[in-house]
């Protein structure tokens, strides 16, 4: 023992037992935190992989309060539904009167609501004392779900495509131009952090449906989306310091004068995150093509924007696909 100690001292190295124990303890603590950080999320890292028109993809939201929540419908999800239908021997039938089921149109349902007020309801002075946020009958029977040229379920298709395109995260900042009754927006609001979904919409009835029915009915009031009424591409009410990960317009620009669209792009270019942020426009970009390819490119370049390409995305539930045009900010 004395020999080994003398050799260590001759080399200028002295290791005592307390130091050795402390060193091992520190290493163990460091290893614990390292393993904890590596296992906290199983989400795939963001990548620059081009957007595909495939129906299925795998994205999750890293949120300790909700776990990893898939944003898309996966192949195994579709197979599960098919198995459930097969296992229960289910088939589509004509929707006719049967025990416990009384099929009605929305107009008939609204008339019943006005006449009978539901099976159980308060009368007289008590009728206004038990409903925190009375909703018009037209909204309760969801007439606004028929305001679109395609089924209400198509909103989910739009959400899934855009969520994949930007690798949506809870902290992403999203702006929709023309969110209507939140057919698409509801899905973004559900997955984003509070106040991270913004919308500019001009139609008052659509806004009433969004605020008085859809958000309360979906349990999303706590998400506090910023929804602004306006029709002149004025984004000043959203704040000057906001930088968006995604700005999109679904079937909106084709109803606007070209001049107004360009005004909007000019105002939004500086609010889009450089390089990583995206603008998506659906259906067509006639505001650009009417100028001619070369002139359109020059106009976009002057705004600090560049055109990245055209994409298609298939619907999950009906025979339909959407066309999307992608832009990004090319310089800071």
């Amino acid at each position: 023992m004395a020999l080994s100690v003398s050799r260590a001292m001759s080399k200028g190295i002295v290791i005592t037992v307390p130091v050795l124990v402390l060193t091992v303890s520190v290493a163990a603590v460091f290893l614990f935190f390292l393993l904890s950080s590596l296992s906290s999320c199983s989400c795939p890292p963001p990548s620059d992989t081009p957007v595909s028109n495939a129906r299925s993809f795998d994205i999750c939201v890293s949120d300790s309060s909700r776990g990893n929540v898939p944003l898309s419908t996966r192949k195994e999800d579709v197979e599960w539904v098919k198995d459930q239908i097969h296992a229960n021997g289910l088939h589509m039938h004509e929707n006719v009167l049967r025990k416990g089921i009384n099929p009605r149109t929305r107009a008939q349902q609204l008339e019943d609501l006005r006449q009978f007020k539901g099976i159980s309801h308060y009368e007289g002075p008590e009728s206004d004392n038990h409903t925190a946020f009375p909703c018009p009958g037209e909204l309760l029977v969801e007439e606004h779900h028929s305001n679109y040229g395609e089924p209400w379920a198509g909103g989910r298709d739009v959400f899934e495509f855009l969520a994949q395109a930007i690798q949506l995260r809870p902290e992403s900042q999203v702006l929709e131009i023309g969110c209507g009754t939140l057919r698409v927006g509801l899905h973004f609001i559900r997955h984003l952090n509070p106040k991270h979904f913004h919308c500019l919409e001009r139609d008052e009835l659509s806004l009433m449906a969004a605020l008085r029915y859809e958000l309360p009915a979906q349990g999303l009031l706590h998400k506090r989306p910023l929804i602004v009424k306006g029709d002149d591409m004025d984004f000043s009410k959203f704040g000057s310091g906001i930088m968006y990960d995604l700005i999109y317009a679904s079937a909106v620009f084709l109803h606007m004068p070209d001049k107004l669209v360009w005004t909007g792009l000019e105002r939004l270019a500086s609010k889009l995150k450089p390089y990583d942020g995206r603008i998506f426009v659906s259906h067509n970009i006639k505001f650009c093509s009417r100028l001619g390819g070369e002139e359109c490119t020059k106009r976009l370049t002057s705004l600090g924007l560049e055109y990245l390409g055209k994409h298609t995305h298939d619907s999950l539930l009906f025979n339909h696909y959407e066309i999307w045009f992608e832009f990004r900010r090319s310089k800071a």
Side-chain angles (χ1 to χ4, degrees):
M1 178 66 182
L3 179 61
S4 63
V5 171
S6 63
R7 286 178 179 174
M9 292 179 64
S10 67
K11 295 181 180 180
I13 301 174
V14 178
I15 302 176
T16 64
V17 172
V19 171
L20 182 62
V21 172
L22 179 61
T23 302
V24 172
S25 300
V26 171
V29 172
F30 175 77
L31 182 62
F32 172 78
F33 282 108
L34 178 61
L35 292 176
S36 298
S37 64
L38 290 175
S39 61
S40 61
C41 178
S42 60
C43 300
S47 67
D48 295 327
T49 303
V51 176
S52 168
N53 66 347
R55 174 65 249 170
S56 176
F57 44 86
D58 190 15
I59 303 177
C60 64
V61 175
S62 176
D63 187 337
S64 59
S65 65
R66 293 178 293 161
N68 294 330
V69 182
L71 300 183
S72 66
T73 302
R74 301 161 298 183
K75 290 181 179 179
E76 56 264 37
D77 299 328
V78 174
E79 291 304 316
W80 177 84
V81 173
K82 291 180 178 179
D83 289 343
Q84 294 301 304
I85 294 173
H86 178 74
N88 286 282
L90 302 179
H91 302 278
M92 282 300 297
H93 297 280
E94 185 179 356
N95 191 21
V96 297
L97 181 66
R98 53 203 185 275
K99 187 175 182 179
I101 306 295
N102 182 18
R104 291 165 294 169
T105 64
R106 285 198 170 104
Q108 292 170 332
Q109 188 179 8
L110 179 59
E111 182 59 31
D112 288 347
L113 184 62
R114 289 170 173 170
Q115 183 176 354
F116 303 111
K117 303 181 180 65
I119 297 175
S120 302
H121 60 275
Y122 297 98
E123 295 284 1
E126 291 293 307
S127 62
D128 296 328
N129 296 337
H130 297 272
T131 305
F133 195 44
C135 188
E138 292 85 350
L139 301 181
L140 289 173
V141 300
E142 300 180 344
E143 286 185 345
H144 57 280
H145 284 194
S146 302
N147 289 352
Y148 300 90
E150 61 188 42
W152 177 262
R156 178 71 191 186
D157 296 321
V158 173
F159 166 76
E160 290 193 1
F161 168 76
L162 295 173
Q164 180 194 24
I166 69 163
Q167 296 286 281
L168 185 73
R169 295 291 181 263
E171 63 273 14
S172 299
Q173 291 279 358
V174 176
L175 168 66
E176 180 175 5
I177 303 172
C179 62
T181 58
L182 297 179
R183 186 176 72 115
V184 179
L186 286 174
H187 302 287
F188 277 105
I189 294 168
R190 183 172 292 111
H191 287 280
L192 292 173
N193 289 338
K195 301 182 181 181
H196 278 229
F197 179 83
H198 295 176
C199 159
L200 184 68
E201 172 59 53
R202 72 174 188 173
D203 185 65
E204 186 170 354
L205 183 57
S206 294
L207 289 173
M208 288 292 285
L211 293 169
R212 295 197 64 175
Y213 179 77
E214 292 298 339
L215 288 175
Q218 297 290 331
L220 294 174
L221 290 175
H222 68 285
K223 287 303 187 84
R224 301 292 194 273
L226 181 52
I227 300 174
V228 175
K229 183 177 183 294
D231 58 1
D232 53 359
M233 290 295 210
D234 180 7
F235 304 101
S236 60
K237 292 183 180 179
F238 297 113
S240 58
I242 298 294
M243 297 294 287
Y244 292 105
D245 299 275
L246 171 66
I247 299 171
Y248 69 96
S250 179
V252 172
F253 283 179
L254 65 165
H255 300 299
M256 289 183 179
D258 291 355
K259 183 178 180 181
L260 184 58
V261 174
W262 283 108
T263 297
L265 291 176
E266 181 178 2
R267 293 171 178 173
L268 288 172
S270 62
K271 296 179 180 294
L272 188 67
K273 289 184 178 179
Y275 305 109
D276 294 330
R278 292 292 187 270
I279 295 176
F280 279 94
V281 179
S282 73
H283 291 70
N284 64 61
I285 49 172
K286 289 185 177 180
F287 66 90
C288 198
S289 59
R290 276 191 278 258
L291 294 176
E294 185 176 343
E295 184 60 31
C296 178
T297 300
K298 289 181 180 179
R299 189 81 175 265
L300 289 171
T301 302
S302 70
L303 300 180
L305 297 173
E306 63 177 322
Y307 172 63
L308 295 182
K310 174 182 175 182
H311 309 270
T312 61
H313 184 67
D314 296 337
S315 172
L316 173 68
L317 297 177
F318 59 106
N319 183 15
H320 173 76
Y321 67 90
E322 287 213 352
I323 301 173
W324 288 93
F325 300 86
E326 180 182 5
F327 303 83
R328 76 173 177 183
R329 187 176 171 189
S330 56
K331 59 184 178 181

